[in-house]
Amino acid sequence: MIVRAVQWGALALAVLFVVLCLVTIGMSVARNWRERRRRQLERRLRPQILRNVVADDPDWNAQAASFSRREQSAARRVIERLLRDVRGSDSAALFAAARAFGMGSIARERFVSGSPVERKLAANWLALTDHPVTATEILQHATGNQGVREAAARIFVRRQEEFAGASEWGTRLLVWEGDEVLSVHGVDTLYRLNNRGATALLTTGHSYVDSWDPDLTIQVLTVLAKSQLISSPTGFRWIIALTRHDEPTIRAAAFRVFTQLGWNDQVREHAPIEAGLADPEPVVRRATYGVLAGWGDAESRDRLVAALETETNDRARLDLCRTLARHGYELPEEGPYWRWATASLRAASGTRERTPEALLA
Amino acid sequence: MVQGLASDGVDSAAGGKQILIVEDDESVAELVAYRFEAAGYETVIHGDGIDALEALEKTDELPAVILLDLVMPGLSGLDVLARLKEDTRLAAVPVVVLTAREADAVVEEAFSKGARDYVTKPFSPTALVARVERLLA
């Protein structure tokens, strides 16, 4: 009896397994079929849409009305892709197309009341179109989900000229809560909001850095290191404080912020370079060498040469030699580091073959 | 490959010179083609770098300019650029790269591999036509 029950159980499991496999394969085939049909439909509609984009006075409303619902949906996808990559006179035509196909109003409705996935997609459309939306509305409906916040911050990037303080609003959306790291897309958005003047990020960091996740702190510092920074030394106080953080990667990231500030004498005076050079962790010392290399003046070079006397870590020593070689400094040093550094630079500049043998010669 | 998307309304100002567009986004590629054809150019579109290189190796008539997207599946734009410049016959064709990033290492690398100009996405197709005409002048 028990044997029979086990046999029936095994059979039921096998049948269930086969059914699940068939359902999975069926769903995959159906999805593939739908995708192929969608692409075919888009390919068919695209010339009609593009003819209107380049026409002098296209009647988008008539075109939208002549399309079925499925065709309208495909047309929106074509317009979305074009809006991502096109600006100038053609983007004005695409804004009109987006209005005629209702992209803005659909996006607004979904942004206010949709699921997180719908709100994220809606924020993408709001960023691409010229549909009226206020900063308050964006902030109000972009809460609770990091993906939605990142997509909403993109509205402030794409439509920067429409919002006074776009950089502040977008930055706040991305890092205000500070308990989650940003995606690559989020970091890129933060950079685009701040790269031409990171006052918003410096100010936000001053107020909120203590509540940030350590990895988010590193992301913010990395963005700052790549952005234009115009501020008095007081604006950098919280970054200087981070050069004394317990975590070496945060200390290193904080030092890298100063790399592009060699021109700013006031900030240079306050940057704790000696502490960076004496840091017990090689990663921090390497970051400090990068700062001095970025400053590139005679005093910085002398500090790098002096560091050659004390640096004991292989990787840091190689970085140091490479930095000095890049700046044309000639040092007939004993040992392999200097040879490796100059050989790798010659290889990178194409004056020598990039092979292990060439590097070790 | 797509050829002759908008052949009507073409004037002869560009003398029927051919523009090769290597771009994986069909919508963008076709819009750019429309703009060039409206200015009197012939256009050929390839959706990836391998197709473009194969077609260039087979053809006797070289394009006047190659518009090359840097981010594509398969062979990247930078790899395509390097292969173009390794070929003595193709090396002379000016290449304008389309990139999503500006003033970074990728653009510098594109210039070091022989690109003549670059355009950052999002871009104006109309302005792109003007830049290419200046390049050909």
Side-chain angles (χ1 to χ4, degrees), chain B residues 5 8 15-16 22 29 33 57-58 65 76 83 102 112 118:
Chain B
L5 286 160
D8 49 335
V22 190
E57 279 164 16
K58 286 177 192 159
V65 170
S76 79
R83 292 206 193 171
E102 59 184 314
S112 75
Y118 79 98

mmCIF file of all heavy atoms in Angstrom, chain B residues 5 8 15-16 22 29 33 57-58 65 76 83 102 112 118:
data_model
loop_
_atom_site.group_PDB
_atom_site.id
_atom_site.type_symbol
_atom_site.label_atom_id
_atom_site.label_comp_id
_atom_site.label_asym_id
_atom_site.label_seq_id
_atom_site.Cartn_x
_atom_site.Cartn_y
_atom_site.Cartn_z
ATOM 1 N N LEU B 5 16.279 55.399 -47.914
ATOM 2 C CA LEU B 5 15.041 55.475 -47.145
ATOM 3 C C LEU B 5 14.099 56.556 -47.639
ATOM 4 O O LEU B 5 12.898 56.385 -47.648
ATOM 5 C CB LEU B 5 15.384 55.760 -45.676
ATOM 6 C CG LEU B 5 15.960 54.593 -44.924
ATOM 7 C CD1 LEU B 5 16.698 55.084 -43.717
ATOM 8 C CD2 LEU B 5 14.855 53.651 -44.536
ATOM 9 N N ASP B 8 12.893 60.539 -52.282
ATOM 10 C CA ASP B 8 12.199 61.650 -52.932
ATOM 11 C C ASP B 8 12.645 62.990 -52.337
ATOM 12 O O ASP B 8 13.035 63.071 -51.184
ATOM 13 C CB ASP B 8 10.679 61.488 -52.794
ATOM 14 C CG ASP B 8 10.264 61.188 -51.375
ATOM 15 O OD1 ASP B 8 11.104 60.657 -50.621
ATOM 16 O OD2 ASP B 8 9.129 61.499 -51.017
ATOM 17 N N GLY B 15 25.891 66.185 -54.163
ATOM 18 C CA GLY B 15 26.459 65.402 -55.267
ATOM 19 C C GLY B 15 26.270 63.911 -55.092
ATOM 20 O O GLY B 15 27.051 63.127 -55.613
ATOM 21 N N GLY B 16 25.234 63.499 -54.389
ATOM 22 C CA GLY B 16 24.959 62.079 -54.212
ATOM 23 C C GLY B 16 26.005 61.337 -53.407
ATOM 24 O O GLY B 16 26.133 60.125 -53.495
ATOM 25 N N VAL B 22 26.438 53.575 -39.037
ATOM 26 C CA VAL B 22 26.558 52.319 -38.277
ATOM 27 C C VAL B 22 25.977 52.589 -36.894
ATOM 28 O O VAL B 22 26.604 53.227 -36.049
ATOM 29 C CB VAL B 22 28.028 51.859 -38.170
ATOM 30 C CG1 VAL B 22 28.098 50.448 -37.612
ATOM 31 C CG2 VAL B 22 28.730 51.941 -39.516
ATOM 32 N N ALA B 29 18.894 55.667 -36.432
ATOM 33 C CA ALA B 29 19.625 55.536 -37.702
ATOM 34 C C ALA B 29 18.761 56.022 -38.862
ATOM 35 O O ALA B 29 19.239 56.743 -39.746
ATOM 36 C CB ALA B 29 20.028 54.076 -37.909
ATOM 37 N N ALA B 33 19.263 59.139 -41.379
ATOM 38 C CA ALA B 33 19.281 58.897 -42.828
ATOM 39 C C ALA B 33 18.315 59.841 -43.551
ATOM 40 O O ALA B 33 18.646 60.410 -44.587
ATOM 41 C CB ALA B 33 18.911 57.441 -43.098
ATOM 42 N N GLU B 57 34.410 46.053 -47.094
ATOM 43 C CA GLU B 57 35.458 45.275 -47.757
ATOM 44 C C GLU B 57 35.042 44.860 -49.163
ATOM 45 O O GLU B 57 35.879 44.742 -50.058
ATOM 46 C CB GLU B 57 35.781 44.032 -46.924
ATOM 47 C CG GLU B 57 36.723 44.345 -45.758
ATOM 48 C CD GLU B 57 36.728 43.240 -44.721
ATOM 49 O OE1 GLU B 57 36.262 42.128 -45.022
ATOM 50 O OE2 GLU B 57 37.179 43.513 -43.594
ATOM 51 N N LYS B 58 33.706 44.670 -49.345
ATOM 52 C CA LYS B 58 33.231 44.172 -50.647
ATOM 53 C C LYS B 58 33.023 45.289 -51.660
ATOM 54 O O LYS B 58 33.082 45.054 -52.853
ATOM 55 C CB LYS B 58 31.906 43.423 -50.449
ATOM 56 C CG LYS B 58 32.085 42.057 -49.809
ATOM 57 C CD LYS B 58 30.739 41.424 -49.580
ATOM 58 C CE LYS B 58 30.868 40.203 -48.674
ATOM 59 N NZ LYS B 58 29.601 39.863 -48.046
ATOM 60 N N VAL B 65 31.634 59.699 -45.733
ATOM 61 C CA VAL B 65 31.803 59.795 -44.279
ATOM 62 C C VAL B 65 31.154 58.564 -43.641
ATOM 63 O O VAL B 65 30.152 58.048 -44.152
ATOM 64 C CB VAL B 65 31.124 61.076 -43.710
ATOM 65 C CG1 VAL B 65 31.098 61.052 -42.188
ATOM 66 C CG2 VAL B 65 31.838 62.331 -44.174
ATOM 67 N N SER B 76 32.451 46.652 -30.748
ATOM 68 C CA SER B 76 32.179 48.025 -30.315
ATOM 69 C C SER B 76 32.622 49.017 -31.393
ATOM 70 O O SER B 76 33.407 48.676 -32.294
ATOM 71 C CB SER B 76 32.931 48.323 -29.023
ATOM 72 O OG SER B 76 34.282 48.596 -29.310
ATOM 73 N N ARG B 83 39.775 48.832 -36.730
ATOM 74 C CA ARG B 83 39.897 47.991 -37.933
ATOM 75 C C ARG B 83 39.858 48.829 -39.205
ATOM 76 O O ARG B 83 40.542 48.533 -40.181
ATOM 77 C CB ARG B 83 38.777 46.954 -37.962
ATOM 78 C CG ARG B 83 38.936 45.929 -36.877
ATOM 79 C CD ARG B 83 38.266 44.638 -37.256
ATOM 80 N NE ARG B 83 38.163 43.776 -36.100
ATOM 81 C CZ ARG B 83 37.483 42.655 -36.085
ATOM 82 N NH1 ARG B 83 36.835 42.259 -37.149
ATOM 83 N NH2 ARG B 83 37.434 41.910 -34.988
ATOM 84 N N GLU B 102 30.476 62.574 -23.036
ATOM 85 C CA GLU B 102 31.321 63.586 -23.639
ATOM 86 C C GLU B 102 32.598 63.782 -22.811
ATOM 87 O O GLU B 102 32.620 63.575 -21.617
ATOM 88 C CB GLU B 102 30.584 64.916 -23.771
ATOM 89 C CG GLU B 102 30.104 65.483 -22.467
ATOM 90 C CD GLU B 102 29.310 66.748 -22.699
ATOM 91 O OE1 GLU B 102 29.757 67.603 -23.464
ATOM 92 O OE2 GLU B 102 28.231 66.860 -22.094
ATOM 93 N N SER B 112 42.228 59.179 -30.750
ATOM 94 C CA SER B 112 43.558 58.576 -30.922
ATOM 95 C C SER B 112 43.520 57.467 -31.967
ATOM 96 O O SER B 112 44.532 57.131 -32.571
ATOM 97 C CB SER B 112 44.079 58.040 -29.586
ATOM 98 O OG SER B 112 43.408 56.848 -29.254
ATOM 99 N N TYR B 118 33.238 64.138 -33.126
ATOM 100 C CA TYR B 118 32.311 63.325 -32.334
ATOM 101 C C TYR B 118 31.058 64.135 -32.030
ATOM 102 O O TYR B 118 31.088 65.365 -32.006
ATOM 103 C CB TYR B 118 32.964 62.820 -31.042
ATOM 104 C CG TYR B 118 33.047 63.836 -29.928
ATOM 105 C CD1 TYR B 118 32.111 63.861 -28.893
ATOM 106 C CD2 TYR B 118 34.080 64.779 -29.906
ATOM 107 C CE1 TYR B 118 32.207 64.784 -27.870
ATOM 108 C CE2 TYR B 118 34.168 65.708 -28.890
ATOM 109 C CZ TYR B 118 33.225 65.704 -27.874
ATOM 110 O OH TYR B 118 33.311 66.635 -26.875
#
